[in-house]
Amino acid sequence: MKLGSSLQSKLAFTLAALLLTGILFSCQNTSSAVDTAAIETKSSEESAETTEISYDPCIPAKDFDGIEFWFYFGDNDFEPSFDVRAEELNGEALNDNKAIEEKYNVTVKWERNEYGAMYNKVAQLVRAGEDAVKVMINNGNYSFSAAVNGLTQIMNDVPYIDFSKPYWNRQMLKDSTVFGKNYFAYSDINIHALGATPCVLFNKVVAENYNTGNLYDVVKSGDWTFDYVTNLIKSVTGDLDGDGKITQFDMHGFIGNTFVIDCFLSGTGYQTISKNDEDFLELNIVNEKYYDIIAAIQSICSVDNGSFICDRYSGVDREYAPMDALAEDRALFWIANFKGVERMRGMKSEFGILPIPKLDSSQKEYKIHYQANIGGAMSIPITVRDIEMVGMILEDMSYLSMVNVKPAYVDILLQGKFLRDNESLEFSRLSLTAITAITVL
Amino acid sequence: MTNASGIDILTKLREFVANNSTSYVSRIASIEKGYTKLLSKLHDTFLENQK
């Protein structure tokens, strides 16, 4: 099966929309959030004990004669992935494949490239019939394109892979099936996706100077809405240098790039793509509800309401201008993701983490999306001959990542190095664990 | 966010919002029409794929 290039080039939209807005999970309401956080606030050690007892796939060791097990993964320079590589981040080794290598007598290898280049490389190898790549890790767009173009195989029947286990992202699995089949999957190996989870950062010095009150209490009360945030933005934005215009160097109630628009949309819980009775994709963008949501996002992002969207202005760095403004106490809010939080670790002033606001007070829960278009989905090329080996290794590696990698990321990195208060940690932990917590609870 | 295709629903939404476009309703209807055709092709492709 092959598709024309023009069609192929358009395929990505479907998955981008599906994964970015069609797959949402709830952060739960306030009370549930606290409960969830409490459950997840077990130490890494406790989690490891529990999950080892409950979820170890107990796959027998097997000798694969020293074969090189190649992961080909795509990412970008600004937000590099460390899903598979043994990564030293501030002294903490996040991912260690030695256990897998010893158990199966394989050498875990990886090749990294930019998303599109990696897709093309894998496609070239698969079309040549080469059994070189065992697993492709790429973003949602390219993983879906690979499925459509017949480059990757259905994963549901792969021996040893058990999608009912909590280390597989079951929400994503459920919402990304096509006719009941999964062509790619996210597991706890993919902390790249986890780190791309959106959040609102706020500068506590600015919050105090502008008397915003306790924003955590606002969130807990359920009043953290577009209107509430808009009023705060208006009250803060101002012309610091008196030149009669608002530039990146002035005071901002809210600064960000167009990524914030994705976040506001997912924060409403609206799904632009859902599934029909056949378990096939269905588009939901022509209706009054969607129009109203777009109007609300336009309003909260408008210049008139004091928002500064960097992409509107030539010469403004869409990635670094918001970070600079927040770090220099010239911005109250910035919407980023947890990788953005990592980048602010050197910030002098205190900052906190909040959820994406609700559309209005009638919305019951705070919503957030799994950042599939940055994070890496795993898929298996059709040219892989020893599918059992791939199943064994992916299942075991996913399990070990749940036990070791994910807790290390959440506990060590966020709690120990980046976050400044318990409320931020509570919300962050909830966001980063809800993907499984929502299905466990 | 990297966008492999350069064209998707979110890209359009970003354009609407960033440009403060007031014509989004009519444009969305047009976009939906095009994407519905694409979904139809995808439907057939996946059916063929899973035979």
Side-chain angles (χ1 to χ4, degrees), chain A residues 27-322:
Chain A
C27 284
Q28 304 286 289
N29 56 29
T30 304
S31 56
S32 296
V34 171
D35 291 341
T36 307
I39 289 169
E40 297 294 336
T41 309
K42 293 177 295 188
S43 69
S44 304
E45 200 173 295
E46 288 170 335
S47 296
E49 284 174 8
T50 303
T51 51
E52 273 184 324
I53 293 169
S54 306
Y55 300 113
D56 187 340
C58 298
I59 299 172
K62 189 169 179 180
D63 186 350
F64 288 106
D65 201 25
I67 191 172
E68 291 185 344
F69 192 98
W70 280 94
F71 286 87
Y72 276 37
F73 69 90
D75 61 10
N76 62 52
D77 291 335
F78 186 68
E79 293 187 309
S81 168
F82 39 82
D83 283 353
V84 178
R85 292 174 292 178
E87 184 78 11
E88 290 282 333
L89 187 60
N90 305 313
E92 306 290 349
L94 268 184
N95 205 336
D96 190 333
N97 303 308
K98 282 181 184 169
I100 294 293
E101 292 182 328
E102 288 172 4
K103 180 173 180 180
Y104 296 107
N105 188 21
V106 298
T107 304
V108 175
K109 307 279 280 185
W110 59 89
E111 179 158 326
R112 178 262 168 194
N113 213 324
E114 184 275 330
Y115 295 115
M118 181 50 71
Y119 171 84
N120 290 333
K121 190 160 191 173
V122 172
Q124 190 178 26
L125 289 167
V126 171
R127 285 170 179 146
E130 293 193 27
D131 181 15
V133 188
K134 304 306 179 191
V135 177
M136 178 178 83
I137 301 181
N138 213 323
N139 70 13
N141 280 351
Y142 286 110
S143 299
F144 190 73
S145 293
V148 173
N149 287 295
L151 301 175
T152 48
Q153 52 187 290
I154 292 168
M155 294 181 71
N156 304 78
D157 300 325
V158 172
Y160 293 99
I161 286 186
D162 182 356
F163 284 152
S164 71
K165 293 290 182 65
Y167 39 82
W168 292 100
N169 186 326
R170 288 175 284 184
Q171 183 71 37
M172 291 293 286
L173 285 166
K174 174 176 172 286
D175 288 343
S176 61
T177 51
V178 179
F179 297 131
K181 303 293 184 184
N182 292 100
Y183 291 83
F184 54 87
Y186 295 81
S187 80
D188 285 347
I189 293 174
N190 309 111
I191 52 175
H192 188 43
L194 203 63
T197 303
C199 60
V200 177
L201 286 82
F202 76 99
N203 181 309
K204 290 187 176 180
V205 172
V206 176
E208 188 173 340
N209 289 345
Y210 286 81
N211 300 311
T212 64
N214 187 324
L215 296 177
Y216 296 123
D217 287 345
V218 177
V219 170
K220 288 175 183 172
S221 72
D223 292 332
W224 183 244
T225 62
F226 279 22
D227 280 348
Y228 194 96
V229 173
T230 299
N231 286 332
L232 286 175
I233 294 169
K234 279 184 190 174
S235 70
V236 172
T237 296
D239 182 8
L240 281 183
D241 55 14
D243 66 354
K245 53 187 179 183
I246 300 296
T247 72
Q248 67 182 104
F249 302 110
D250 285 307
M251 176 60 75
H252 300 287
F254 173 54
I255 185 168
N257 60 41
T258 49
F259 170 65
V260 307
I261 295 161
D262 308 353
C263 300
F264 283 132
L265 176 62
S266 66
T268 70
Y270 188 81
Q271 298 189 330
T272 54
I273 291 184
S274 57
K275 307 270 213 66
N276 61 20
D277 293 340
E278 283 186 294
D279 195 39
F280 192 72
L281 316 177
E282 199 170 52
L283 206 51
N284 303 313
I285 60 171
V286 179
N287 58 69
E288 290 301 322
K289 174 72 175 174
Y290 186 59
Y291 301 157
D292 289 346
I293 287 172
I294 292 177
I297 296 172
Q298 280 188 316
S299 177
I300 196 172
C301 291
S302 72
V303 175
D304 290 345
N305 281 330
S307 288
F308 192 90
I309 307 297
C310 298
D311 308 68
R312 288 174 173 147
Y313 310 93
S314 63
V316 176
D317 191 311
R318 68 191 300 274
E319 304 291 358
Y320 289 96

Side-chain angles (χ1 to χ4, degrees), chain A residues 386-397:
Chain A
D386 193 343
I387 192 68
E388 183 181 87
M389 174 183 67
V390 175
M392 293 170 105
I393 289 177
L394 279 189
E395 185 74 10
D396 240 349
M397 192 178 277

